[in-house]
Amino acid sequence: MAKAHQINPERARWLEVLGVSMPLCLSYLPIGVACGILLNAAGMNFVLTFLVSIMVFSGGAQFTLASLLVSNAPITSIFMTLFFLELRYALLGSSLSRYMRNESQKSILIFSASMNDENYAINYLKFVTDKNWTAKDALLVEYYSLASWATGNLLGGLIGSAVQIDLVIVDFALTALFIYMIVMQVRQRLTLLIGLLSAGLSIYFLTLVKSTLGIILATVLASFVGFLIENRVRRYAKDPDHTWILGKLFRPSSTRNTVEDRQHIKKQEAAQAKEQEGSETVDAKDNGE
């Protein structure tokens, strides 16, 4: 506590938020440099790379963009691929909506424009564990991460213009990125099965259509099949969450409890204590009789 007070003697809020954001900002720099190098290898100069990093602000979308540019994909395929890839932010944003109820539409629009997976994770964790965390703090996290990411992209663009990069590495980087993303999302057997189905359909449609549009068709079809299966199981199964198809796969246990988790645990303990007290009262009456 003493060290933290020395670093921030006036308890400036912006500096406290910077401290929360610093691990993310530091991790963004090397990844941003790599992304900038790949975008430069795909044909963008450092200025355009910097502008894309600010306007898109998504590692997954920018790595995908580099791969599609290298493969000379048509503009419609690029647009559709990035659209479906970034559609997940609609779900992420909806989970933060209850913490943004008192904000104006303009503030929400500005907030949503700079949200991505990592700063969302920080903000959601702070919203549910810190009662003093505000929308302004969350927006600062987004700006700090955006500045770090854009700086990394700019440095990567400058380095890429001076270094010759083999374009084969673009496809490798993109493949590694999406393998990581799918591994992190696989929490249920249904998710795993739909992922395998999507992979099979992608191969089939790519062979049939001979363009990246096949991946989009496979993604939409596999997602629709997954929705139908989950909807049917939840409608007709007595205990949907304990069915085989919706059963959870092994994942490392969480090491941090949120405020909601602690409240739930307290309610359970209170209910158990009340139930135990009631049973003791009944036993005492029986013994008295």
Side-chain angles (χ1 to χ4, degrees), residues 54-99:
I54 294 177
M55 298 179 68
V56 178
F57 190 30
S58 172
Q62 290 176 233
F63 277 105
T64 303
L65 178 61
S67 178
L68 294 174
L69 289 175
V70 169
S71 62
N72 294 319
I75 188 64
T76 53
S77 297
I78 294 177
F79 176 80
M80 294 298 292
T81 301
L82 297 184
F83 174 77
F84 284 107
L85 178 63
E86 302 301 286
L87 196 59
R88 68 186 185 278
Y89 290 128
L91 297 176
L92 295 181
S94 64
S95 66
L96 292 179
S97 60
R98 59 176 172 170
Y99 304 110

Side-chain angles (χ1 to χ4, degrees), residues 100-135:
M100 309 289 291
R101 291 174 182 172
N102 298 325
E103 302 299 315
S104 65
Q105 293 295 324
K106 181 180 178 180
S107 299
I108 294 175
L109 179 61
I110 295 174
F111 179 84
S112 61
S114 53
M115 185 183 73
N116 68 0
D117 299 87
E118 291 78 20
N119 58 44
Y120 160 81
I122 291 178
N123 282 325
Y124 183 80
L125 180 62
K126 292 297 292 184
F127 272 127
V128 299
T129 58
D130 186 353
K131 294 182 179 180
N132 296 321
W133 195 254
T134 65

Side-chain angles (χ1 to χ4, degrees), residues 42-62:
M44 294 186 180
N45 57 35
F46 70 94
V47 176
L48 188 56
T49 299
F50 179 71
L51 292 176
V52 168
S53 68
I54 294 177
M55 298 179 68
V56 178
F57 190 30
S58 172
Q62 290 176 233

Side-chain angles (χ1 to χ4, degrees), residues 11-288:
R11 308 299 294 174
R13 188 60 176 174
W14 68 269
L15 198 55
E16 291 185 17
V17 178
L18 179 60
V20 173
S21 310
M22 189 55 65
L24 174 59
C25 294
L26 293 177
S27 67
Y28 265 175
L29 286 174
I31 301 175
V33 169
C35 185
I37 292 174
L38 294 179
L39 286 173
N40 182 268
M44 294 186 180
N45 57 35
F46 70 94
V47 176
L48 188 56
T49 299
F50 179 71
L51 292 176
V52 168
S53 68
I54 294 177
M55 298 179 68
V56 178
F57 190 30
S58 172
Q62 290 176 233
F63 277 105
T64 303
L65 178 61
S67 178
L68 294 174
L69 289 175
V70 169
S71 62
N72 294 319
I75 188 64
T76 53
S77 297
I78 294 177
F79 176 80
M80 294 298 292
T81 301
L82 297 184
F83 174 77
F84 284 107
L85 178 63
E86 302 301 286
L87 196 59
R88 68 186 185 278
Y89 290 128
L91 297 176
L92 295 181
S94 64
S95 66
L96 292 179
S97 60
R98 59 176 172 170
Y99 304 110
M100 309 289 291
R101 291 174 182 172
N102 298 325
E103 302 299 315
S104 65
Q105 293 295 324
K106 181 180 178 180
S107 299
I108 294 175
L109 179 61
I110 295 174
F111 179 84
S112 61
S114 53
M115 185 183 73
N116 68 0
D117 299 87
E118 291 78 20
N119 58 44
Y120 160 81
I122 291 178
N123 282 325
Y124 183 80
L125 180 62
K126 292 297 292 184
F127 272 127
V128 299
T129 58
D130 186 353
K131 294 182 179 180
N132 296 321
W133 195 254
T134 65
K136 291 182 179 180
D137 297 332
L139 187 61
L140 272 179
V141 171
E142 293 187 347
Y143 284 167
Y144 289 143
S145 59
L146 175 59
S148 177
W149 176 255
T151 301
N153 275 241
L154 178 60
L155 293 175
L158 293 172
I159 294 172
S161 61
V163 178
Q164 188 66 27
I165 303 296
D166 187 357
L167 295 181
V168 175
I169 195 175
V170 178
D171 292 327
F172 172 79
L174 186 65
T175 302
L177 174 67
F178 280 99
I179 289 176
Y180 169 78
M181 290 177 67
I182 188 64
V183 168
M184 293 301 295
Q185 293 182 51
V186 174
R187 298 177 179 272
Q188 297 177 329
R189 294 186 179 91
L190 177 61
T191 308
L192 177 60
L193 293 176
I194 295 303
L196 296 175
L197 174 63
S198 180
L201 290 175
S202 296
I203 296 174
Y204 172 75
F205 283 120
L206 280 174
T207 305
L208 182 66
V209 182
K210 299 187 184 301
S211 74
T212 53
L213 183 62
I215 299 178
I216 298 174
L217 294 174
T219 302
V220 174
L221 183 59
S223 300
F224 184 67
V225 171
F227 168 76
L228 290 179
I229 293 175
E230 183 173 3
N231 183 61
R232 186 172 183 83
V233 171
R234 292 195 179 279
R235 177 176 294 183
Y236 295 105
K238 294 181 179 180
D239 191 1
D241 293 329
H242 290 84
T243 56
W244 184 87
I245 191 68
L246 296 184
K248 293 184 178 180
L249 296 173
F250 172 76
R251 304 284 297 186
S253 58
S254 175
T255 57
R256 185 193 293 267
N257 290 329
T258 64
V259 172
E260 295 171 343
D261 293 334
R262 291 194 290 268
Q263 290 177 349
H264 181 67
I265 293 174
K266 287 182 179 179
K267 288 181 180 179
Q268 287 184 331
E269 292 176 348
Q272 291 176 356
K274 187 175 182 180
E275 183 179 353
Q276 184 177 1
E277 182 181 352
S279 62
E280 291 177 353
T281 303
V282 171
D283 292 340
K285 288 182 179 179
D286 292 341
N287 292 332

